[in-house]
Amino acid sequence: MGFNKKLTGAAVFAATLTVTAAGLMSAPASAESTATTQYTVVAADNVSASDAAAAIKRAGGTVVGSNDTVGMYTVLAPQNGFVEKAAAAPQLVGATHQVAIGKAPKKDRPSNVEREAQRAAAAAKKSEKKPATAGMDPLDDKLWGLKAVKSDKARKVNAGDKRVTVGILDTGVDASNPDIAPNFNWALSKNFAPDRPDIDGPCEVPSCLDPVGTDDGGHGTHVAGIIGAAANGVGVSGVAPNVSLVELKGGQDSGYFFLEPTVNALVYAGDKGIDVVNMSFYVDPWLYNCTANPADSPAAQAEQRTIIKAMFRALTYAHFKGVTLVAAMGNNHEDKGKPRTDISSPDYPDGAAYDRPIDNKSCWDLPTEGPFVIGVSSLGPSLNKADYSDYGLERIGVSAPGGWFRDGLGTDTYRTFGNEILSSYPKKVLQEEGSVDADGNVLPEFADSVFKDCNAAGQCGYYTYLQGTSMASPHVAGVAALIISAHGSQHGKNFGLEPWKVEYLLYNTAAQHACPNPPLVSYVNVGRSAEFDALCEGTKQFNGFYGFGIVDAYAAVTAHAWWEH
């Protein structure tokens, strides 16, 4: 969210940084050589913690924190020269400045598609016990996505199991919403991302670590509602309305995702036995992290290799600890196997971007292109691929509703809010955006896009529309949670289902959908440039727009897996 605040000391330092044509932040020539900054350092494979620490010390750094599970270290070191020295040490993969590695698409960024309808409006003004079942909620008639994935039918058979936990690795979760509160797991939820005043604004609490159950960005709460808003007679319900929601706050209030909080959240999810983790964010400052892009400086290359190694380790660790990983494919309207030249990186700090041709074999869009991650493309109400959605045979797993404001050309639904995805949203954020007043009332001019619904106890929830692959991914995470609920088993104290079995059922129960005819789709007639043209490759059984198909919650919970007796 935009803010105009006094710069803190950290922000003043950030403001003095300069960016070279190769994208590496460097201090001006007048900076003191003894000044230090914070880095994330990753050890090379099969290097002990003591050897890594010794190498860091020789490079001029001091270890102030670590995650030994993935060989990641928080280090204080001189502003100048440390990245290069770390990259030269055989015991280390390298070091990266503690800048953002991911971002939940932010509503006030021009490149973001999630608030297209709002901007357009502004411009124009399984268990031994019987499975729990559920009905529908008052605003569910607006949730075309819920019906598209057949959650309305699935919940009559299995609405989810409270023992199944879904981690929302995002900007936080507003647990005060009466649709979130019944399913929110306070014991497992954790904040890994302290506020940074230079990008988030002043800290709301002295520790700068926002309390669990809060969300000053809104994105995480919207995602959480899609997955598992309770079917309790108020507001909306989620795809899996009886599972447990776990806040894994890895994103800043401003939407940025830094390497250490993201990695720490994934490792935590594995250690705590969380069943599913949804990741609706994309990687910054580099849209694609490359091992040795000639357009980047040696230091920038080393930083990207560090990010790749840390994320690959964390994702792999979480998978083998039993976590099903689901991620949004992205809103860059490109074939993931045939990436365009990256003209947006690094996008932090502002104005640092330069043209970077992308080699598909050595560059990754993380986390969606990471190991063991189920990539999700986005569909509109017509079940056509949304114009903004990334796609492609190489990385897609399945498709799901994510909203498409421009769907329905030639009908009265074209360019309407209802084409997007309605879900829970924090009142505080809506008030800051100006759609809800100080008394908690929705302003008349926002009556088509923001909703308030209260239960008998007077507790009120707020809901608004967004679109994006960020909204498609939680539909899939919800179906994954239902699969575990219906097909999971008890092992000692733990209830769950191995990720490969979840993935197998997810893919084999998805509703197959053929490519459009002709397969080359132009979006020019809805106001997009030829850059948005998309070629669907593959068969009905598997193609670049739909993957194995559109996720089907009812088919998933009623399926009989070959390993079940």
Side-chain angles (χ1 to χ4, degrees), residues 71-268:
M72 183 177 72
Y73 302 88
T74 305
V75 174
L76 287 177
Q79 294 174 18
N80 298 316
F82 179 72
V83 171
E84 291 83 354
K85 291 177 181 178
Q91 298 87 356
L92 307 175
V93 174
T96 177
H97 293 86
Q98 288 205 346
V99 296
I101 62 117
K103 200 172 196 301
K106 197 168 191 300
K107 55 189 170 292
D108 57 3
R109 285 166 50 121
S111 61
N112 170 51
V113 303
E114 294 194 350
R115 287 267 182 177
E116 184 179 4
Q118 287 83 344
R119 293 201 311 272
K125 191 49 190 143
K126 182 176 187 196
S127 166
E128 292 181 0
K129 61 184 180 181
K130 184 178 179 180
T133 59
M136 305 295 285
D137 276 350
L139 296 176
D140 285 353
D141 61 340
K142 304 180 187 299
L143 306 190
W144 60 269
L146 207 65
K147 299 176 180 64
V149 302
K150 298 183 175 62
S151 171
D152 54 335
K153 292 181 62 178
R155 67 186 57 196
K156 296 176 182 178
V157 177
N158 194 318
D161 191 308
K162 276 290 190 291
R163 293 172 295 179
V164 176
T165 51
V166 183
I168 295 91
L169 208 175
D170 218 293
T171 60
V173 177
D174 178 13
S176 70
N177 187 298
D179 264 327
I180 302 296
N183 291 340
F184 191 76
N185 189 313
W186 290 93
L188 287 177
S189 293
K190 187 172 181 177
N191 182 352
F192 299 88
D195 287 346
R196 294 179 52 143
D198 55 321
I199 58 172
D200 298 322
C203 296
E204 290 91 347
V205 294
S207 68
C208 288
L209 193 69
D210 291 342
V212 163
T214 62
D215 179 12
D216 293 331
H219 192 270
T221 301
H222 200 272
V223 166
I226 296 169
I227 296 169
N232 57 353
V234 63
V236 301
S237 63
V239 173
N242 202 50
V243 300
S244 294
L245 302 172
V246 180
E247 174 190 344
L248 302 175
K249 189 179 188 301
Q252 305 302 131
D253 294 348
S254 52
Y256 286 103
F257 281 72
F258 291 85
L259 180 60
E260 286 192 23
T262 304
V263 168
N264 288 336
L266 286 167
V267 170
Y268 175 87

Side-chain angles (χ1 to χ4, degrees), residues 377 379 385 391-392 396 399 516 519 521 523 534-536 543-547:
S377 68
L379 310 176
K385 185 189 81 68
Y391 58 99
I396 194 169
S399 55
V521 178
Y523 299 96
L535 176 64
C536 184
N543 60 68
F545 278 17
Y546 297 94

Side-chain angles (χ1 to χ4, degrees), residues 56 112 122 250 265 541:
I56 291 168
N112 170 51
Q541 289 72 35

